[in-house]
Structure formats: C-alpha cells, structure tokens
Amino acid sequence: LECMSVGYDHVVLSAPTAARSVMMEIQQLVQHLEVHPNVHVILTDKNNRYDVGLWCDALEFVQSKSPLRYKYITLVNDSVMVLRHTRVLLDRLETNRYDLVGMSYSHTGGSFWIESYVRGFSARGIEAFQEHSCRLAPSHESFSTKRSVVDYHEIGLINEYFVQEGNEKEGKCKRKCKLSLSAVGVYPGDLPKGWIGRGDANRTWVASFNLPYWKRALLKAHFFPLAKVKMPQMIRFSTKHYPECKLSPTTLESLPESLQYIGDEWSWKQVFSATTVSE
C-alpha cells in the first residue's frame, strides 16, 4: 500500500464484508506510513466474481464520487507485495502513449498478455477494462472457475488493446481495436526456455521452483519491485540485499495482531528481521 501509493491521491480497498475489521485496521495503519493517501474502503456482501468483481465494485464507487475525478487508475492484486517505492506505471502512463501498462507481461499460451498483479490504466483504458469485464452478469461463464477468470479477464483482456511490448516493438490486436488503445508490459514475467523444463504453463516468475529466475534476472538485474506474498523467501531475500525494501520499525510495531501473519507460517516481523537467507 505504501510503495504503490507514490503519486496517487486516493486508494480504494475492496473486500468482502467478512474482512471489515481487517480493512478498518489497514485504514488506521495508513497513518503510520510515509505516504498518506486518502484511503476508502468498499465492502461487498457477496463476491462471486473473484478479484475481477472486487475491482469492478471499486471502480463503480470511484465513478460514483464526483470529487474523485481520475486521470489514471491502477488495479493491484493482494497476492503480491510491492517491495519498494515505484512510479514505473505512472511514468509510462503520463507520457500519454499507453492506456494499459502492466508491471509484468507473459507469452505463455502462445500470445502476449499483461499479468494482472499490478496494472495501470488511463481513463480510456479503464473504460475498456470495464466493458470487457464489469458489464457481464455474475452468472457469465467466464466467472465459473478460477481458470476461466484467468483466460477471459486476464489473458483475454489484451484483445481490447493494441500491443506494444516491453521492448517497444509494435504488435497487433487479435481483433479490430476500435479505440486504438495501446498496451505495454514493463518486466518480462516468463523464464527463458533454458531455465526450465516443466512445460509452458509453469514458465512465469510466480512458480516457487522459478525462484532463481526471480532473484537473478528480475530482482538483481532489473530491481523488479514485486514479490509473491505466499513466498516469504522472496521478501526475506529482498530485504536482506536491498535496504530500500525493508519496512520501518515503526510500521512493524504498528501492525495489529490480525495483520501480523502471512498464512500460517510466517509473521511480517520474522520476515523483515531475517538476517540470513539462502542464496
């Protein structure tokens, strides 16, 4: 929250009603961060559209509030932790060349697409996202399974944009781009073929057995700003080697009990106080 808030005026946290107490605690915790955006909480009684539904609810809220007129919007998935302050998406959006900027991109499945962990949109770009994903009924077949959500709402979203990959080479839409929207990915999420032998489906940086690629090619070579929350070893490694990635002692001490743990094994304090990490 702190590291992604640089350059933004408002943050909307969208969650199921069952998470009310945690959302309120996060809203209070913001006061201890270096960056102090205006934080709004949106709670949904029933979410049967996975992350897409929560994002759509948040966008509906933003667009219903006339004071919250926006130029850019970034959608962030809570399965990742942003390791350092970064404006990498905003810097590209502010050139007015792109309508969708993804923190990471992939070619798994045979075509270019933007991974959904962290994506920035222009006003036109977010309209295309809403048209593609938010206008559908919850009963739509694309919400039936997690796999169908990925296929349609993540991989399939790129069909709405004219592709400009991380190396700035132009690509083509799979179908006509009526609005001439453009998309670009910043960091390559796929492993080179020489790194693995487990099949195309597991070629991205998020698979646990691909940790060496994340360490050497993404973090060390490019200072990649993301880690998977379910992989504390990523966070421990980055905090050891890159002081900028450490949470401040004040922030750690301010964590309420319900926010102190990652899953069932690690607490944030354990992760950020780690002094030895296997290379």
Side-chain angles (χ1 to χ4, degrees), residues 3-265:
C3 291
M4 274 304 301
S5 298
V6 179
Y8 292 88
D9 301 311
H10 297 270
V11 172
V12 179
L13 303 176
S14 184
T17 304
R20 180 186 300 274
S21 60
V22 173
M23 292 298 101
M24 297 301 110
E25 289 172 340
I26 292 177
Q27 206 168 19
Q28 293 298 315
L29 184 61
V30 171
Q31 305 306 315
H32 299 281
L33 304 181
E34 294 179 13
V35 180
H36 292 232
N38 295 301
V39 177
H40 314 267
V41 174
I42 303 300
L43 298 172
T44 302
D45 289 333
K46 183 180 180 180
N47 176 42
N48 51 7
R49 295 179 294 166
Y50 296 83
D51 290 343
V52 177
L54 296 176
W55 285 324
C56 291
D57 290 343
L59 291 170
E60 183 179 353
F61 165 80
V62 169
Q63 292 165 347
S64 70
K65 300 293 183 180
S66 55
L68 297 187
R69 298 190 182 280
Y70 57 88
K71 192 171 184 181
Y72 311 111
I73 286 181
T74 292
L75 303 181
V76 182
N77 184 307
D78 66 354
S79 69
V80 295
M81 179 175 180
V82 183
L83 298 170
R84 59 180 175 84
H85 291 152
T86 179
R87 281 181 49 95
V88 66
L89 302 188
L90 272 180
D91 287 345
R92 284 162 175 77
L93 288 169
E94 288 174 351
T95 66
N96 295 319
R97 295 176 57 195
Y98 310 113
D99 299 291
L100 165 59
V101 180
M103 191 73 80
S104 55
Y105 62 90
S106 174
H107 287 90
T108 56
S111 61
F112 175 89
W113 53 280
I114 301 291
E115 294 186 307
S116 66
Y117 306 112
V118 181
R119 297 175 296 186
F121 297 84
S122 68
R124 292 197 319 158
I126 205 68
E127 287 178 8
F129 169 82
Q130 288 180 284
E131 187 65 32
H132 183 83
S133 295
C134 300
R135 309 284 189 245
L136 302 177
S139 58
H140 190 269
E141 62 182 3
S142 65
F143 296 116
S144 60
T145 65
K146 187 173 181 179
R147 182 67 249 176
S148 65
V149 169
V150 171
D151 288 342
Y152 182 90
H153 298 279
E154 185 173 6
I155 297 175
L157 178 65
I158 201 64
N159 295 337
E160 306 294 335
Y161 303 85
F162 181 82
V163 176
Q164 293 180 287
E165 302 186 23
N167 59 8
E168 306 298 332
K169 288 184 178 179
E170 295 182 352
K172 294 182 179 179
C173 281
K174 290 183 178 178
R175 64 174 181 261
K176 185 177 180 181
C177 299
K178 296 180 181 179
L179 299 178
S180 298
L181 299 174
S182 63
V184 66
V186 181
Y187 298 96
D190 297 346
L191 280 70
K193 291 183 179 179
W195 283 71
I196 55 149
R198 301 201 182 196
D200 189 64
N202 295 318
R203 280 184 51 222
T204 65
W205 65 276
V206 297
S208 59
F209 50 77
N210 293 337
L211 191 61
Y213 173 74
W214 174 85
K215 286 181 180 179
R216 300 172 195 168
L218 290 179
L219 186 66
K220 287 185 176 181
H222 299 292
F223 205 13
F224 185 57
L226 297 184
K228 288 290 286 184
V229 172
K230 69 178 182 181
M231 296 176 65
Q233 62 269 44
M234 281 189 175
I235 303 169
R236 295 180 72 190
F237 181 85
S238 61
T239 56
K240 175 187 177 183
H241 293 278
Y242 301 95
E244 186 183 356
C245 295
K246 288 185 179 293
L247 281 180
S248 68
T250 302
T251 300
L252 286 173
E253 291 303 319
S254 302
L255 288 174
E257 185 174 356
S258 62
L259 301 181
Q260 288 181 6
Y261 292 91
I262 311 170
D264 299 323
E265 300 181 15

